[in-house]
Amino acid sequence: MDVLSRAHALEAAGRRVVHMEIGEPDFTAPAPVVEAGVRALRDGRTAYTATLGLPSLREAIAAHYREKFAKNVPSSRIAITAGASGGLLTVAALYVDAGDEILVPDPGYPGYRHFVRAFEGIARPLAVGPKDDFQPTLDMVRAAWGPRTKGLLLGSPSNPTGTLIGKTELGRIAAFIAERDGVLLVDEIYQGLVYGAEPWTALDLPGDVVLVNSFSKYFCMTGWRLGWVVLPESAVRGFEKLGQHLFISAPAAAQHAAVAAFSADSLKILEQRRGEFARRRDFLVPALKQAGLAVPAEPHGAFYVYADCGQDSKAFSLELLEQEAVAATPGIDFGANGTGRFVRFAYTRSMEELEEAVRRIARFASGRAA
């Protein structure tokens, strides 16, 4: 947040800042989604919906799992939420009691530990590193599991690293957790943004598995505040009761609009954008390496590069902003495990802007080396 605040101050003073600190697509919602949202507003479809969401949207998501992943999930297990954050918050309320431990990767999305702590749970960090693509392994989970451990919460693709966990390894972890009557919570918010690999879902893994997803990233609908959760059948009623108290229902017009996100026209647009994100990644990773930053784990998803700057990442980020007006996020925002050397660069900008950013980064890095 220090970087973001300073970047805004520099812009107000007339500097041209290249924003690589923001985890938000630079694309807006596809036209069919916007049109559906406008129709919903004009038709007055703005009242509360059922807490679990519009049946038509839940059915559209179930169809998405069938068509994209060949997985059958009844729409009754799908809950529409006020963004993935609303979903994660409600899931934490459902599964975490005071003193319960939830294992979370470090580095990892900082919201995970805050959601757990909000319900007096303990977010126990797993020290993940480049050797395992910054993803948990069964050995890590087994070593960390204790008498108060309730489950594991992870993201794949991950924020901040853009890495994926292997399906086989996650299956082994799921079986281990199921044997202990725990819960596996998988954040698949960046699932649609996978490059050079076949996307997959943790939907059919053994035991109690909860999936969290969103319309924010792949679907480019951040401000519409809409997400979904796939729950075990036994957890649906408890989630519904909590949702009634915590957020009543997700935004109605956004739900009506989101049905159109699964149309053929929308998906064609979104796949073209995924191709553009892949092009940006393929440019940025080698460019950062050429500038002297190491990328120890290749990103295969999301829109982030987690780079080792070889020094104090907060000082690096602030000096890069002051001297070259490039904003990036220091790794310390994502945990304590070796994060002081890392910087997260988001390629949520046009190729023209990324090329300019790389010129500035290279100039800055060479100046520091001298």
Side-chain angles (χ1 to χ4, degrees):
M1 294 304 293
D2 290 343
V3 170
L4 183 60
S5 298
R6 183 57 185 156
H8 288 159
L10 289 176
E11 284 182 316
R15 297 281 298 278
R16 180 194 167 199
V17 176
V18 181
H19 288 279
M20 302 181 73
E21 83 282 30
I22 300 172
E24 179 174 31
D26 52 324
F27 303 109
T28 57
V33 173
V34 175
E35 291 161 7
V38 170
R39 283 196 302 273
L41 292 171
R42 285 177 175 162
D43 293 346
R45 290 181 288 174
T46 55
Y48 293 139
T49 70
T51 295
L52 294 178
L54 290 175
S56 58
L57 181 55
R58 297 166 74 193
E59 289 162 6
I61 293 169
H64 174 67
Y65 282 107
R66 287 194 303 272
E67 293 162 11
K68 189 173 182 67
F69 304 105
K71 304 296 182 185
N72 289 311
V73 56
S75 61
S76 61
R77 289 178 51 197
I78 296 169
I80 309 302
T81 60
S85 294
L88 283 164
L89 182 70
T90 311
V91 165
L94 182 63
Y95 283 101
V96 178
D97 293 320
D100 285 346
E101 287 185 354
I102 299 292
L103 307 179
V104 296
D106 181 357
Y109 176 57
Y112 296 160
R113 58 183 184 266
H114 298 314
F115 291 131
V116 172
R117 291 169 182 168
F119 297 97
E120 300 183 13
I122 299 167
R124 183 168 181 181
L126 294 178
V128 297
K131 175 175 164 291
D132 298 298
D133 288 334
F134 294 103
Q135 290 286 353
T137 65
L138 175 58
D139 288 342
M140 291 179 198
V141 174
R142 182 184 285 118
W145 200 275
R148 294 304 305 269
T149 307
K150 193 72 169 286
L152 166 68
L153 169 56
L154 63 87
S156 180
S158 166
N159 178 10
T161 65
T163 60
L164 312 174
I165 190 169
K167 188 172 185 179
T168 299
E169 190 67 11
L170 188 57
R172 296 172 65 212
I173 291 171
F176 173 87
I177 292 174
E179 289 170 0
R180 285 148 185 81
D181 296 321
V183 61
L184 174 61
L185 311 172
V186 185
D187 179 1
E188 295 186 339
I189 187 172
Y190 296 100
Q191 180 188 64
L193 297 173
V194 173
Y195 322 109
E198 281 297 313
W200 56 275
T201 174
L203 186 63
D204 58 355
L205 295 181
D208 279 351
V209 178
V210 176
L211 307 185
V212 179
N213 212 316
S214 173
F215 289 92
S216 291
K217 309 299 184 179
Y218 174 70
F219 296 96
C220 304
M221 295 173 63
T222 50
W224 299 70
R225 304 314 305 133
L226 203 63
W228 76 85
V229 177
V230 183
L231 297 153
E233 198 69 60
S234 60
V236 172
R237 181 56 183 150
F239 187 96
E240 181 180 26
K241 289 191 288 187
L242 284 166
Q244 288 169 344
H245 293 289
L246 293 176
F247 60 86
I248 302 178
S249 67
Q255 291 191 60
H256 287 288
V259 175
F262 299 102
S263 71
D265 287 345
S266 290
L267 292 174
K268 181 179 178 180
I269 293 167
L270 294 169
E271 281 300 291
Q272 290 171 344
R273 292 173 178 180
R274 184 173 70 89
E276 176 60 16
F277 279 126
R279 189 169 77 99
R280 295 174 185 181
R281 179 203 65 154
D282 293 345
F283 164 75
L284 185 59
V285 171
L288 289 174
K289 291 179 180 178
Q290 183 71 25
L293 283 76
V295 182
E298 295 284 320
H300 291 288
F303 33 58
Y304 306 118
V305 181
Y306 193 60
D308 186 344
C309 67
Q311 54 198 278
D312 181 334
S313 64
K314 184 174 182 180
F316 179 95
S317 298
L318 290 172
E319 289 174 24
L320 175 63
L321 179 60
E322 293 293 338
Q323 294 182 31
E324 296 290 350
V326 175
T329 305
I332 55 172
D333 284 8
F334 304 102
N337 172 39
T339 55
R341 292 173 54 96
F342 281 84
V343 179
R344 190 195 74 177
F345 294 94
Y347 43 94
T348 51
R349 293 293 168 221
S350 69
M351 280 296 296
E352 180 184 6
E353 288 181 283
L354 293 180
E355 289 167 356
E356 176 62 27
V358 165
R359 284 192 290 270
R360 298 182 188 188
I361 293 167
R363 186 166 59 221
F364 173 76
S366 65
R368 288 178 70 95

